[in-house]
Amino acid sequence: DGGITQSPKYLFRKEGQNVTLSCEQNLNHDAMYWYRQDPGQGLRLIYYSQIVNDFQKGDIAEGYSVSREKKESFPLTVTSAQKNPTAFYLCASSIQAGELFFGEGSRLTVL
Amino acid sequence: RKEVEQDPGPFNVPEGATVAFNCTYSNSASQSFFWYRQDCRKEPKLLMSVYSSGNEDGRFTAQLNRASQYISLLIRDSKLSDSATYLCVVMGGYAGTASKLTFGTGTRLQVTL
């Protein structure tokens, strides 16, 4: 079945540690995105990539980094510079602007 | 003023009822509009795009009012399985970022027996 796979689903991290969230898609979509969702707020864009080896910062990129070495993969690293990393992280891909396919999400908790 | 505003609800309605949600947006240059559905602690899923002429998909009807800058979602004959949070998404309207998406915080619907 085609889709987007995120891992891990749940992750606990100590302050000061970097963590990497995996996102893989087999939909053959060029565009991929990382969003963050916090209670009471709309989804906010962290980074996006329209093609391999290229990506752009979204609205809240500080403290995050990404890579896009393969079309299928768009991992997100939450660095220790991110001040408030506890959140629900959603990866998405699209073939048509506005019509996003999301993975099941990764819940990161900083202890 | 928020770029995209939704009443957070919850809207509690009995099965079989008709319910409508509105979503207002502040950028008059916005180009495209969507409704997404998000179940509790799950990922959002595209419900429907909103076309200028309005569109219908089974029990769901979406409408756009550009003059008043809002979109609406009407659900007829509500089912228990319609219980979810409905996210309004607005695209475009910003120079150089035609495909920028802005998400509303969502309206929660609870359908009861």
Side-chain angles (χ1 to χ4, degrees), chain B residues 5-105:
Chain B
E5 285 203 72
Q6 296 183 253
D7 181 340
F11 284 57
N12 294 299
V13 301
E15 244 190 329
T18 295
V19 62
F21 314 131
N22 278 350
C23 164
T24 58
Y25 59 95
S26 61
N27 190 335
S28 60
S30 297
Q31 296 154 357
S32 303
F33 309 87
F34 307 87
W35 283 104
Y36 279 72
R37 171 198 167 121
Q38 185 173 24
D39 292 309
C40 188
R41 299 180 70 81
K42 299 282 192 182
E43 76 277 20
K45 293 183 179 175
L46 178 65
L47 180 65
M48 58 199 304
S49 303
V50 186
Y51 304 127
S52 297
S53 54
N55 48 305
E56 191 173 305
D57 183 3
R59 298 181 293 107
F60 298 82
T61 300
Q63 298 212 308
L64 167 64
N65 185 318
R66 283 196 184 272
S68 300
Q69 293 181 209
Y70 74 85
I71 65 172
S72 64
L73 179 67
L74 180 81
I75 305 175
R76 289 182 299 278
D77 189 21
S78 299
K79 312 288 185 197
L80 292 174
S81 57
D82 294 333
S83 298
T85 296
Y86 291 85
L87 308 179
C88 169
V89 182
V90 174
M91 187 173 86
Y94 297 91
T97 56
S99 59
K100 173 182 162 69
L101 296 180
T102 304
F103 284 77
T105 54

Side-chain angles (χ1 to χ4, degrees), chain A residues 69-81:
Chain A
E69 296 174 3
K70 298 186 300 181
K71 187 175 185 177
E72 302 80 20
S73 180
F74 191 41
L76 173 75
T77 297
V78 185
T79 75
S80 56

